[in-house]
Amino acid sequence: MKQAVAPTSVEVFFDPDDIIVSKTDLKGRITYANKVFTDICGYSEAELIGQPHSIVRHPDMPRCVFKLLWDTLAEGREIFAYVKNMTRRGDYYWVFAHVTPSFDAAGKVIGYHSNRRVPDRRVIAALAPVYQQLADVEAGHRNGKDGLAASARHMTDFVKSKNVSYDQFIFSL
Ligand SMILES: Cc1cc2nc3c(=O)[nH]c(=O)nc-3n(C[C@H](O)[C@H](O)[C@H](O)COP(=O)(O)O)c2cc1C
C-alpha cells in the first residue's frame, strides 16, 4: 500500500515525554502501533497493521544499521539505535529506539517490540554525517550485497576505532 513518497526537508517532532511504540511479528510486519506513532507518521493504525516496518523507512538510513538490528535480534538480544524515519508526507523524524525480542512463556521469540524516545540533538548532529558516510559507501557499490558488506565493515571499523563495543559507543554519544 505504500506509495512512492518523495522525502522532504521538513523535520517533525514528538513530545519528549512521549514514547513511540510498535510491535512486529517475526518478519517485521507491524502488529501494534500506539497513538504517538500514528500521530507522527500519518498512517492510521489500520493502515499500519500487517505492513512491513519499512513503511516508515527513510532513504537516508544506511542499510547496515538495519542489518545490525536484525542480526542482534536474531541472537535474541536487544539493540539501541538512532533512526531517521519518514512520515506519510515524506517529512522526517529522528528517534532513539530500543528494540527487543518478545518471548513466550517457553522462552521462544514470538515477535519484536520497539520503544522510541526523542533523541538528544547533539547526538543526531554527530551521527547524521556518519550515517551519510555509510550510505555513501553503500551507494558506491553497484551490487547491493557488496555495498552492504562494505558499509557494515566501515561501521564495525568506525566503532572499533573508538575502542568500544557498539553498545558502549551508542551510550557514549
Ligand atoms: C520491532 C521493529 C521495529 C522497527 N522499526 C523500524 C523503524 O522505525 N524504521 C525503520 O526504517 N525500520 C524499522 N525496522 C526495521 C525494518 O523491519 C526494516 O528492516 C528496515 O526498515 C529496512 O527495510 P528494507 O530492508 O526493506 O530497506 C524495525 C524492525 C523491527 C523488528
Side-chain angles (χ1 to χ4, degrees):
M1 65 148 271
K2 191 178 180 187
Q3 310 289 313
V5 184
T8 75
S9 55
V10 177
E11 182 167 12
V12 292
F13 300 91
F14 59 107
D15 196 290
D17 289 335
D18 279 341
I19 303 180
I20 297 175
V21 183
S22 64
K23 295 182 194 178
T24 74
D25 64 13
L26 294 172
K27 296 215 156 130
R29 283 182 300 239
I30 298 170
T31 55
Y32 170 79
N34 76 343
K35 185 166 183 314
V36 186
F37 186 22
T38 56
D39 281 353
I40 194 152
C41 75
Y43 297 102
S44 70
E45 188 180 5
E47 286 172 319
L48 289 173
I49 303 294
Q51 294 301 316
H53 219 304
S54 54
I55 189 168
V56 291
R57 189 199 199 298
H58 196 287
D60 285 357
M61 276 299 292
R63 289 166 62 212
C64 62
V65 173
F66 297 119
K67 174 175 163 36
L68 180 66
L69 179 147
W70 280 105
D71 288 351
T72 306
L73 293 176
E75 290 170 8
R77 295 192 294 120
E78 64 181 359
I79 182 166
F80 291 86
Y82 291 88
V83 181
K84 182 178 186 177
N85 276 328
M86 190 162 85
T87 72
R88 176 178 217 147
R89 297 157 49 101
D91 301 341
Y92 70 92
Y93 61 98
W94 279 98
V95 298
F96 183 47
H98 177 216
V99 191
T100 61
S102 303
F103 299 92
D104 69 9
K108 194 171 145 233
V109 177
I110 50 169
Y112 303 108
H113 188 142
S114 178
N115 289 324
R116 308 157 184 94
R117 289 189 174 279
V118 170
D120 186 321
R121 298 310 302 174
R122 287 166 306 177
V123 172
I124 299 307
L127 206 58
V130 178
Y131 278 10
Q132 181 65 57
Q133 274 176 23
L134 294 169
D136 288 347
V137 169
E138 288 169 9
H141 288 259
R142 280 224 186 127
N143 177 300
K145 209 171 151 195
D146 293 347
L148 180 55
S151 70
R153 262 197 317 273
H154 195 88
M155 185 164 67
T156 308
D157 292 348
F158 179 81
V159 172
K160 261 195 200 152
S161 74
K162 312 271 175 205
N163 282 320
V164 289
S165 68
Y166 169 81
D167 288 344
Q168 288 167 328
F169 169 67
I170 285 294
F171 283 103
S172 71
L173 290 169

